[in-house]
Amino acid sequence: MQSRILAVFTFNELAAPFLADRNKAYRDVEPGAFAAVEQCEGFIARSGYRGEDGPASWGSMVMPKCWENLNGDGWAPVTLSLWTSIEALIAATYHGYHGHAYRLGHQWHIRAKDIPSYVLWWVPEDHRPDWAEAVGRYESLLDNGPSASAFSFKQAFDPAGRRTNPDAQKVQLLAGRITPAPTQD
């Protein structure tokens, strides 16, 4: 079997337009969160966004069918990235600078009932999913629940398609290698 890596697509809606004063802290923390994640063990690559500095975009932007553009500006925070393991992604998500930013997300994001904020799936290590593939996986999770082709941390699958639980000890080991978030003065 060809070696596989983990793909993740994240999706949220902002409660106010991106440039609104309410989102200033989000705009301030976002570059540091991206930079911190990219330094984490297990990170492989992420898609950028057309027309912006940074990594190249992996195709044309596509939004999930559940997106309501509630803030009215036509923009939603989405990411698409690749990882070596579920444990590496969990450590990077919930610890260090990104973990700090994640815990502040309730200030900016609309928490929609029954709408997942992310989807995971395994891809061959030489494959770069585009935005359309990512949204297709997300909508599969949204419509059908977890499966080997679209799942979450809580209902995870290994690269062979078997149900699995992330290794908590490995998560803690990887989290311990992440630079802590700066303390607030």
Side-chain angles (χ1 to χ4, degrees):
M1 177 180 194
Q2 182 182 16
S3 202
R4 299 181 69 79
I5 56 177
L6 187 68
V8 58
F9 169 77
T10 66
F11 167 78
N12 278 289
E13 291 203 50
L14 292 174
F18 179 72
L19 295 175
D21 288 345
R22 177 177 178 174
N23 290 326
K24 182 182 181 326
Y26 174 81
R27 292 190 306 274
D28 290 347
V29 78
E30 183 188 40
F34 276 140
V37 161
E38 291 173 4
Q39 298 303 310
C40 288
E41 188 172 338
F43 172 81
I44 297 170
R46 75 173 175 89
S47 176
Y49 310 97
R50 286 215 169 123
E52 293 187 14
D53 291 337
S57 179
W58 298 347
S60 297
M61 184 62 67
V62 177
M63 296 301 258
K65 64 185 176 186
C66 63
W67 182 52
E68 297 182 37
N69 192 22
L70 295 173
N71 68 23
D73 70 357
W75 190 89
V78 295
T79 66
L80 175 56
S81 60
L82 296 171
W83 294 82
T84 58
S85 70
I86 291 173
E87 292 84 5
L89 177 59
I90 292 171
T93 299
Y94 299 113
H95 298 275
Y97 190 87
H98 184 275
H100 167 73
Y102 176 84
R103 287 184 291 283
L104 297 175
H106 69 278
Q107 297 176 22
W108 315 298
H109 298 141
I110 297 169
R111 235 13 255 159
K113 186 178 182 212
D114 300 322
I115 305 263
S117 59
Y118 67 95
V119 64
L120 310 171
W121 72 103
W122 295 100
V123 299
E125 71 179 330
D126 62 352
H127 177 68
R128 293 292 183 265
D130 63 17
W131 291 102
E133 178 183 341
V135 168
R137 299 291 179 142
Y138 179 85
E139 290 178 350
S140 175
L141 178 63
L142 180 65
D143 293 343
N144 306 311
S147 69
S149 63
F151 55 91
S152 68
F153 295 140
K154 290 181 182 177
Q155 296 182 16
F157 290 80
D158 69 14
R162 298 176 301 246
R163 286 286 315 240
T164 190
N165 291 313
D167 181 335
Q169 287 183 313
K170 186 175 178 185
V171 170
Q172 287 304 310
L173 176 70
L174 292 166
R177 297 176 185 161
I178 294 173
T179 303
T183 57
Q184 300 288 330
D185 292 335

